[in-house]
Amino acid sequence: MLTLYVGIASGLGACLRLLLMDLFKLSSFFSNLHFPVVTFLINIIGSALLGLLFWYVPSSDLNTILSVGIIGGFTTLSTFNNELLLLWKKHKIICLLYGTSTYLFGIIVVLITIK
Amino acid sequence: MITIKRYINVFLFGIIGGGARYLIELLVISPNGFPYSTLGINLVGCFLFSILIDYIPARFSLSNATATGMSAGLIGSFTTFSTFNLDAVKLVVHHQITFFIIYLFCTIFGSLLMNWTGQRFSQKLRRQMEVW
C-alpha cells in the first residue's frame, strides 16, 4: 500500500515539475537564456528539501511519501543529462557550467541542511 | 502548451515511475552501503529517456500528451537527483570516501554516457523504421 502512496506522491511531484517548466517557458527572459534555470532550481530546491526531511523529520511512512515520493518525483536526472547533451552541441561553456554547478550545489545544499 | 491532458498523463505515468523506483529501492539491499539501487535506476532511466523522447513517439505516433507523460512523467519521476545527493552525502558522513568517489564518477559520467548511448540507439531504430 505504501508503494501506491509513494507512486501517487511521485506523480504529483512530476506534475509540479512540469508546471514549473511550463511557467518558465512563458517567460521570454528565461526561455532566451541558454542555461536551463528551471531544471537547475528544481534539482537544487529538491535536494535541499530532501536533506531537511532526512535530518529534521523522524523516519515514518509520511516521511517516505514526502521524500521518496514527492521530492523523488520532483527532481530528475534524465532531463538534466538530456539538456547537457543538447547544450554540448551548441554552447559548450554553458554546458560545463550547468553540469558543474548542478552537481556542486546539489551536494553543498544537502551538506548545509544536514549539518 | 499547458493542457490538462498532459498533466494527467504525467501524473499517471509518474505514479508508475515513482512506484517502480520505490520498489527497486526496497528490493535491492546493499551489502556494503553502496547505493546500487539509485545508481542502477538512474543509469537505466537515462538510457530509456533518450529512446522515449525520440524513437517511441515516432514509431507509435504518440500524441504530445502521452509522449510527455512517458518522458517527463515515467522516466522523470523514475530517475532522481535528490536521492543521489543524499546518498552521496551519507557516504561522506560514514567515511566511505572511496565509495563516494566511485558513486559520483559513475553517476556523472555513467548517466551522461547512458543518455548518449540511448540517443544513438534511438537514431539507429529510427533509421531501421524508415527502411521498412
Side-chain angles (χ1 to χ4, degrees), chain A residues 2 17 22 47 68 75 81, chain B residues 7 21-22 72 79 82 85 111:
Chain A
L2 188 60
R17 169 161 42 81
D22 281 343
S47 300
V68 185
T75 61
N81 272 312
Chain B
Y7 281 85
R21 171 163 44 80
Y22 181 59
T79 61
S82 49
N85 274 318
S111 63

Side-chain angles (χ1 to χ4, degrees), chain A residues 19 44 69 76:
Chain A
L19 183 69
I44 302 305
T76 182

